[in-house]
Amino acid sequence: MSSMIVAAEVILTSPSRNFVTLKVTTDDGVVGWGDATLNGRELAVASYLKDHLAPLLIGRDAQRVEDTWQYFYRGVYWRRGPVTMAAIGAVDLALWDIKGKLAGQPVYQLLGGAVRMRILAYTHASGWDTPELLDSVDEKLDRGFLAVRAQSGVPGLDTVYGVHHGEVSYEPAGRGKRPVEETWDTAAYLRHAPTMLAAVREHVGPEIALLHDAHHRLTPNQAARLGKALEPVDLFWLEDVTPAENQEVLRRVREQTTTPLAIGEVFNTIWDCKDLITGQYIDYIRTCVMHAGGISHARRIFDLAALYQVGAAPHGPSDVSPITLAASLHLGLATPNFAIQEFMGYEPIDDEVFRHDYTYKSGYLHPGDAPGLGVELDEKLAARYPYNPAYLPVARKRDGTMTDW
């Protein structure tokens, strides 16, 4: 029995930050919700959806999820990239949401059912100095988290990725017409990070999973050096040690350290991830479910990863909406090699705008059992918070040259 798409609408809202949402409606009145948020480039994806994909959705059978994915990916000459794949991902999530609602089942049941009872979550702890960081870690542990990503300031630098002076929450995108420019010093970071993380490990003991993000700042040799220095800390993973567009560079890092490596949050297709996985350069693939074209494509990436004992651990901080988080959880509950889910949580106003069925308890997440993805947008409330331009920072070395943020 078909369910024809009669409307596709793009909604921009900015309760605590900017989100791009796709609303797909069928002729029998079922609504599916998709997320298309691309931090700092939201309007590009909104236009791609509104001007190019939404008109082509009208009249299509909402039940044909895979065919629609193929239509929008293979049916166009210009493929891949974060804007295209986020837009396709929004469509895919909305159609899975509709399929679940029509079936009266949560999406994870349509993916084969649960292979685990719950999903391990990690959250972010940060502090400008080590004592402040340890206080932040303690606060996360008090909330029941069993896995924590630790980031701190670096002596001699005024700004550092993942940390704000004296602020509990972290949102890197700054409001305004231009990005903030930060100054970066790799040598200072490499001197500080091992000592800082060793202090965190000593503070929390051996049982808590610790994670750390280098955010693409290092050369392969520097990354290998850091990985070796952190082996005694026993990290759950060291994330994004070097830009991986040239995936062969990860070979040197992998050969020099046994510290687990995670990478891939800026990748968008299975072809971006293929060599990292098949070359066994990494331990965890971080591709975001929505930025990789939705559930339909992300599950293929995770299936490939399973063949090489690489864990699935999708990007999922608060710069994607609760719709993407829910999709990650449904996919994670049904994916054998799913390892952990990033979970910063959202501001209270975001949770009001995006009413959700997923839950967090004692270090674990569950997507809930509502039909579909289990997230509904309150359109009237969302309309009170119009889009507000914001950009992620850019970074320069001390001599003024651009570097990776």
Side-chain angles (χ1 to χ4, degrees):
M1 178 179 172
S2 65
S3 186
M4 209 62 66
I5 296 171
V6 296
E9 180 185 356
V10 179
I11 300 169
L12 279 80
T13 184
S14 188
S16 74
R17 62 162 326 282
N18 292 317
F19 297 110
V20 181
T21 305
L22 175 66
K23 177 185 180 183
V24 176
T25 307
T26 68
D27 56 2
D28 40 12
V30 178
V31 172
W33 298 102
D35 177 29
T37 306
L38 189 64
N39 200 349
R41 293 294 184 269
E42 294 91 350
L43 295 184
V45 188
S47 174
Y48 195 107
L49 275 171
K50 180 181 67 174
D51 299 324
H52 300 290
L53 300 194
L56 301 180
L57 281 170
I58 307 304
R60 292 190 63 85
D61 182 354
Q63 293 271 36
R64 298 182 64 178
V65 181
E66 181 63 34
D67 183 68
T68 300
W69 195 96
Q70 297 289 332
Y71 180 79
F72 284 135
Y73 184 84
R74 301 186 71 181
V76 67
Y77 189 68
W78 309 106
R79 303 180 182 181
R80 303 167 69 171
V83 173
T84 295
M85 298 307 289
I88 294 175
V91 172
D92 191 74
L93 297 189
L95 296 191
W96 276 106
D97 193 26
I98 289 171
K99 184 174 282 291
K101 289 172 178 175
L102 289 172
Q105 295 284 338
V107 166
Y108 76 81
Q109 293 288 15
L110 307 183
L111 298 172
V115 298
R116 56 178 51 82
M117 295 183 296
R118 52 192 181 172
I119 295 169
L120 180 66
Y122 79 89
T123 194
H124 296 192
S126 64
W128 193 249
D129 55 26
T130 300
E132 189 176 282
L133 170 60
L134 296 181
D135 288 343
S136 178
V137 169
D138 285 342
E139 189 270 332
K140 309 306 179 186
L141 299 183
D142 288 344
R143 290 170 53 198
F145 282 98
L146 305 172
V148 178
R149 193 192 80 167
Q151 309 289 139
S152 83
V154 175
L157 296 182
D158 294 327
T159 54
V160 173
Y161 161 76
V163 187
H164 281 179
H165 285 281
E167 294 185 16
V168 175
S169 61
Y170 171 65
E171 169 51 58
R175 304 291 187 180
K177 296 182 179 180
R178 292 183 182 274
V180 171
E181 292 196 5
E182 300 180 351
T183 300
W184 178 249
D185 186 329
T186 299
Y189 165 75
L190 289 174
R191 288 191 297 268
H192 176 66
T195 302
M196 175 269 292
L197 289 167
V200 177
R201 171 57 74 199
E202 182 178 5
H203 182 73
V204 301
E207 299 298 327
I208 298 299
L210 291 182
L211 305 86
H212 179 70
D213 188 357
H215 221 241
H216 314 280
R217 303 296 178 88
L218 310 178
T219 66
N221 198 53
Q222 291 167 339
R225 172 185 160 193
L226 179 61
K228 291 179 70 173
L230 292 176
E231 285 176 6
V233 177
D234 188 26
L235 289 181
F236 187 93
W237 76 40
L238 178 59
E239 182 181 351
D240 288 342
V241 288
T242 190
E245 289 92 341
N246 176 6
Q247 299 185 6
E248 184 69 17
V249 302
L250 266 295
R251 181 190 298 273
R252 176 168 179 78
V253 185
R254 175 80 294 164
E255 290 174 346
Q256 295 296 318
T257 180
T258 58
T259 294
L261 302 176
I263 210 161
E265 70 180 46
V266 297
F267 293 165
N268 311 116
T269 70
I270 196 169
W271 298 279
D272 300 326
C273 305
K274 177 177 69 69
D275 291 346
L276 287 173
I277 293 169
T278 61
Q280 301 178 70
Y281 302 151
I282 60 173
D283 301 276
Y284 301 95
I285 187 67
R286 295 273 293 125
T287 311
C288 175
V289 170
M290 176 264 292
H291 293 157
I295 290 171
S296 296
H297 192 62
R299 63 177 174 167
R300 291 193 165 92
I301 297 173
F302 298 164
D303 283 345
L304 176 65
L307 297 179
Y308 294 88
Q309 299 185 50
V310 172
H315 176 73
S318 55
D319 68 355
V320 297
S321 89
I323 298 169
T324 290
L325 177 61
S328 290
L329 296 177
H330 282 280
L331 183 55
L333 206 68
T335 299
N337 62 317
F338 201 93
I340 197 168
Q341 177 61 55
E342 184 173 18
F343 179 60
M344 292 175 63
Y346 294 90
E347 295 297 322
I349 186 58
D350 298 326
D351 289 328
E352 292 179 30
V353 172
F354 295 91
R355 301 187 304 272
H356 56 81
D357 198 53
Y358 65 76
T359 55
Y360 164 80
K361 183 180 180 181
S362 302
Y364 291 89
L365 291 159
H366 191 281
D369 289 305
L373 293 176
V375 181
E376 300 291 330
L377 180 72
D378 185 328
E379 295 182 74
K380 290 184 178 180
L381 185 57
R384 299 180 190 174
Y385 304 98
Y387 169 80
N388 190 353
Y391 288 94
L392 290 170
V394 298
R396 295 182 183 274
K397 298 178 182 178
R398 289 191 182 276
D399 66 2
T401 56
M402 292 296 299
T403 190
D404 298 294
W405 184 81

